[in-house]
Amino acid sequence: MTDFSIAKFDNYQEYLHSFTTVEDFRYLPSYKTVTTLTKLGYREHRSFYKEDEFLNVKKQVEQLLNPTVSAQIYYSQYFTGADPALWALAEREHLNVQQEISTIIFLEISGRSGFSKSGYIDFEASLRNCRFKGSNAVDWRAVFEERKMLQPQPSDIVFYDWRTRKIFANDNDNYTVVAHPEHGLMFIHKGDHKNVPVTTKKNPFSSNVRRSMIKSDLYGFMILYDHHVRKKT
C-alpha cells in the first residue's frame, strides 16, 4: 500500500526531523545523535524509511497524485471488434479519463450456477485502477481485445450477488452511494455534487444523466449512465 504521508515532506531531512521531539533534546547531546537513533530504528511505531527508500516512495506518491501525460493509457486503442457495448465504451474512454464526463456501467452477468451477479461500475475509476495496477483491477486491454469479459465485482460502487442475496455499496473518490427515500438508488458525484439517479422514472435529477441501453452479443444488455461533470469556475 502506498504511503501518502510522505507527500508532506519536501526532502529527507524534513522527514527525519518529523521523528524528533522536545524530549529527545533533554536527554540526548545533539541533533546528530537524535537522527542517528532515528536511522537505527529506535523511534516510534510508524514505518521508517532509509533515504533511498524514502525517495522511491516519494516518487511513487508524486506520480499517483500528479500523473503525467504519458500515464494516460487508452485501452480502447486495442479494440478492433464490432461489439456495440465495447464500441460505446471505447467512444467514452477519453472523455472519462479527462473527467469531462463520468460514466457508470450497469451489467448483469449470469454465472455457471444459473444465478446472476449485477453491479454498477465507475468507468473512470476502473480505468485508473487498471492504469496503476490497483487491487481487483480490471484488465481493460484484455476486455477491449475480447479476451476477458467485464464483470461486476464486490469492489464496484454497487454489487449484488443474486445467489447469496448479498449487496455491497462502496463510496469511492468519484461517488457517494445514496439510497434516496423517494427516488431509489443514486450516486452523488463528489466533483460537482450532482445527484446521478439510475431510475427510469422522471425525477428532479433526471437532467443530470443520460441513460443509454445497448444490446450486445457479448454482454446481453449494458446500460450506460453518462454524467457531464460540471467544472468549477
Side-chain angles (χ1 to χ4, degrees):
M1 183 178 292
T2 306
D3 186 354
F4 285 93
S5 67
I6 294 299
K8 62 185 177 184
F9 302 111
D10 289 333
N11 52 56
Y12 191 62
Q13 289 305 313
E14 282 188 13
Y15 171 69
L16 282 179
H17 186 69
S18 71
F19 285 87
T20 64
T21 66
V22 173
E23 291 294 316
D24 291 333
F25 295 99
R26 289 183 181 177
Y27 303 107
L28 297 172
S30 67
Y31 179 74
K32 183 177 180 181
T33 304
V34 173
T35 56
T36 298
L37 289 175
T38 298
K39 291 177 181 179
L40 290 173
Y42 298 107
R43 306 308 302 153
E44 47 186 280
H45 296 300
R46 63 185 168 121
S47 300
F48 174 76
Y49 300 105
K50 296 179 181 178
E51 186 168 8
D52 58 337
E53 294 173 332
F54 169 84
L55 294 173
N56 286 333
V57 173
K58 185 170 175 60
K59 183 178 180 180
Q60 291 173 10
V61 169
E62 288 174 345
Q63 287 176 342
L64 288 172
L65 295 177
N66 302 291
T68 60
V69 174
S70 61
Q72 307 296 357
I73 301 167
Y74 294 100
Y75 300 103
S76 56
Q77 66 180 302
Y78 300 106
F79 176 60
T80 58
D83 182 77
L86 291 179
W87 180 265
L89 292 176
E91 285 185 316
R92 289 163 170 79
E93 183 185 16
H94 181 270
L95 292 173
N96 272 270
V97 170
Q98 298 301 319
Q99 297 188 349
E100 294 181 32
I101 68 170
S102 178
T103 300
I104 296 172
I105 306 164
F106 174 78
L107 270 182
E108 184 172 313
I109 302 294
S110 295
R112 294 179 181 177
S113 63
F115 290 94
S116 299
K117 294 179 180 180
S118 58
Y120 292 85
I121 303 167
D122 179 346
F123 189 29
E124 186 279 326
S126 184
L127 289 166
R128 179 159 35 93
N129 196 37
C130 177
R131 201 159 60 242
F132 292 119
K133 297 179 172 57
S135 60
N136 303 313
V138 173
D139 185 345
W140 276 101
R141 174 172 178 170
V143 169
F144 279 114
E145 289 179 336
E146 299 182 18
R147 292 186 289 108
K148 290 185 179 180
M149 292 284 290
L150 177 63
Q151 296 193 39
Q153 51 187 335
S155 56
D156 288 320
I157 47 178
V158 171
F159 173 83
Y160 186 68
D161 187 327
W162 290 84
R163 182 179 66 83
T164 62
R165 303 291 181 182
K166 288 184 177 180
I167 187 168
F168 297 84
N170 306 292
D171 296 347
N172 66 7
D173 50 3
N174 286 334
Y175 287 104
T176 300
V177 184
V178 174
H180 194 282
E182 185 178 354
H183 305 298
L185 176 68
M186 64 175 59
F187 305 96
I188 300 177
H189 192 274
K190 292 182 178 179
D192 59 13
H193 308 291
K194 296 291 185 179
N195 290 354
V196 180
V198 297
T199 179
T200 56
K201 295 180 180 179
K202 192 73 174 176
N203 65 79
F205 313 110
S206 296
S207 61
N208 293 338
V209 65
R210 181 167 63 90
R211 182 180 185 274
S212 305
M213 179 180 284
I214 301 162
K215 190 176 187 306
S216 162
D217 291 335
L218 289 175
Y219 294 97
F221 286 95
M222 177 184 287
I223 303 176
L224 302 180
Y225 299 89
D226 295 317
H227 169 61
H228 283 266
V229 180
R230 183 178 178 181
K231 301 293 185 182
K232 293 181 180 180
T233 56

